[in-house]
Amino acid sequence: MPSSPLYIQIKRFISEQIDSGRWPVGHRITTEIELTKQFDVSRMTVNKAIRDLVNEGKLQRKPRAGTFVCQSPEKAESPLLDIRNIADEVAQRGRSYRSEVLKQVAIKADDRIATQLGVMFGKDIYFSEIIHFEDNTPIQLELRWVNPLYAPSYLQQDFSAITPNQYLSDNCPLSAIEHTVEAIIPEDNVRNALALSSVEPCLLLNRRTWSHDKLISTALLYHPASKYKLSSKILLQ
């Protein structure tokens, strides 16, 4: 398996220093020249890694002074007891949304997915893997399995233009949801997709959705813990 691009490796190194507390807020980070020598790369490669972290709000450049660790930006927030279109959430925060579709295929249901989706083992189902971005920062990795009986045109959708949530909500009106949330240390594929450091945890939301009495989809939604939070509001009578 090929290694990550060099600028990603440098970005992870800096993020690890910040996330571990070795470089606290206000700390002046290693200079670009020093990082160039440390990683044996071009100044342009180091500059791209730092520029990305500046855009994500982790670093701040001060002219003639250097680059410093910033206070963590306010986390994006989603409701736990409801389902909202992530594209709409990002737009409501005044940010720019885009997505990158990694997979959109028909597969055979394995034991776990057959149980989660309420279908027979080995049945043909649909699967999609999508990274959702806010201002070019990845904020969610979505793995979704769908029963094709209820969403037959799922594979024909352009999920760079609409989200799976939007398509399913329009075609299979939501009647019930099941959510579980856990904090995890992500595996390499998740960490790479979300551009995380090796020490940053994820929030993993397990979701199943029904339309009337039909179980439509099951999904795993990974969020960077440093950039995302889930909340709920309950009205007591």
Side-chain angles (χ1 to χ4, degrees), residues 112-128:
R112 186 184 75 82
I113 296 303
T115 300
Q116 285 291 303
L117 199 53
V119 300
M120 295 292 293
F121 170 78
K123 177 180 172 61
D124 289 329
I125 59 172
Y126 296 155
F127 171 71
S128 59

Side-chain angles (χ1 to χ4, degrees), residues 196-221:
L196 302 176
S197 71
S198 62
V199 297
E200 183 172 357
C202 269
L203 291 178
L204 171 57
L205 175 63
N206 292 266
R207 172 183 291 167
R208 294 201 294 173
T209 57
W210 284 260
S211 182
H212 304 295
D213 61 344
K214 301 176 179 66
L215 179 51
I216 305 299
S217 75
T218 182
L220 298 176
L221 308 174

Side-chain angles (χ1 to χ4, degrees), residues 10 13-14 23 28-54 59-62 65-68:
I10 298 168
F13 167 77
I14 296 172
W23 289 0
R28 181 180 181 275
I29 74 165
T30 304
T31 67
E32 289 190 15
I33 293 176
E34 290 169 332
L35 288 169
T36 296
K37 294 177 180 178
Q38 180 177 341
F39 288 91
D40 192 22
V41 295
S42 69
R43 183 78 175 266
M44 183 181 299
T45 300
V46 172
N47 184 268
K48 177 168 175 51
I50 291 177
R51 186 170 67 248
D52 281 3
L53 290 168
V54 169
L59 296 177
Q60 179 185 18
R61 279 190 167 119
K62 297 181 180 180
T67 304
F68 297 81

Side-chain angles (χ1 to χ4, degrees), residues 72-85:
S72 297
E74 184 177 352
K75 295 182 179 181
E77 182 175 349
S78 289
L80 184 56
L81 302 181
D82 194 7
I83 293 181
R84 293 180 187 167
N85 184 2

Side-chain angles (χ1 to χ4, degrees), residues 8-232:
I8 291 291
Q9 296 178 34
I10 298 168
K11 184 177 174 182
R12 281 191 186 141
F13 167 77
I14 296 172
S15 293
E16 286 174 6
Q17 307 311 304
I18 297 171
D19 295 338
S20 67
R22 288 189 289 270
W23 289 0
V25 173
H27 176 82
R28 181 180 181 275
I29 74 165
T30 304
T31 67
E32 289 190 15
I33 293 176
E34 290 169 332
L35 288 169
T36 296
K37 294 177 180 178
Q38 180 177 341
F39 288 91
D40 192 22
V41 295
S42 69
R43 183 78 175 266
M44 183 181 299
T45 300
V46 172
N47 184 268
K48 177 168 175 51
I50 291 177
R51 186 170 67 248
D52 281 3
L53 290 168
V54 169
N55 291 335
E56 292 172 18
K58 280 194 169 185
L59 296 177
Q60 179 185 18
R61 279 190 167 119
K62 297 181 180 180
R64 296 182 297 278
T67 304
F68 297 81
V69 177
C70 291
Q71 185 70 41
S72 297
E74 184 177 352
K75 295 182 179 181
E77 182 175 349
S78 289
L80 184 56
L81 302 181
D82 194 7
I83 293 181
R84 293 180 187 167
N85 184 2
I86 191 168
D88 293 339
E89 285 187 6
V90 172
Q92 288 168 6
R93 292 193 286 269
R95 306 286 185 169
S96 174
Y97 169 81
R98 70 176 179 88
S99 65
E100 180 180 339
V101 180
L102 304 180
K103 292 182 182 179
Q104 190 174 349
V105 295
I107 62 172
K108 301 290 185 181
D110 61 19
D111 282 334
R112 186 184 75 82
I113 296 303
T115 300
Q116 285 291 303
L117 199 53
V119 300
M120 295 292 293
F121 170 78
K123 177 180 172 61
D124 289 329
I125 59 172
Y126 296 155
F127 171 71
S128 59
E129 181 175 357
I130 301 172
I131 306 174
H132 301 278
F133 294 81
E134 180 173 319
D135 286 347
N136 290 320
T137 297
I139 59 169
Q140 183 187 92
L141 173 64
E142 172 188 341
L143 308 183
R144 186 180 295 272
W145 297 263
V146 176
N147 190 331
L149 183 63
Y150 309 127
S153 60
Y154 190 82
L155 295 186
Q156 284 71 54
Q157 303 308 304
D158 180 2
F159 288 134
S160 65
I162 65 170
T163 65
N165 172 278
Q166 181 180 342
Y167 166 73
L168 293 174
S169 295
D170 289 345
N171 291 272
C172 307
L174 182 68
S175 61
I177 60 175
E178 176 186 271
H179 278 162
T180 61
V181 181
E182 56 184 321
I184 65 166
I185 298 298
E187 296 182 355
D188 287 347
N189 64 312
V190 177
R191 192 169 66 248
N192 289 336
L194 296 177
L196 302 176
S197 71
S198 62
V199 297
E200 183 172 357
C202 269
L203 291 178
L204 171 57
L205 175 63
N206 292 266
R207 172 183 291 167
R208 294 201 294 173
T209 57
W210 284 260
S211 182
H212 304 295
D213 61 344
K214 301 176 179 66
L215 179 51
I216 305 299
S217 75
T218 182
L220 298 176
L221 308 174
Y222 297 87
H223 307 86
S226 64
K227 303 182 183 74
Y228 223 85
K229 62 182 176 181
L230 298 164
S231 65
S232 64

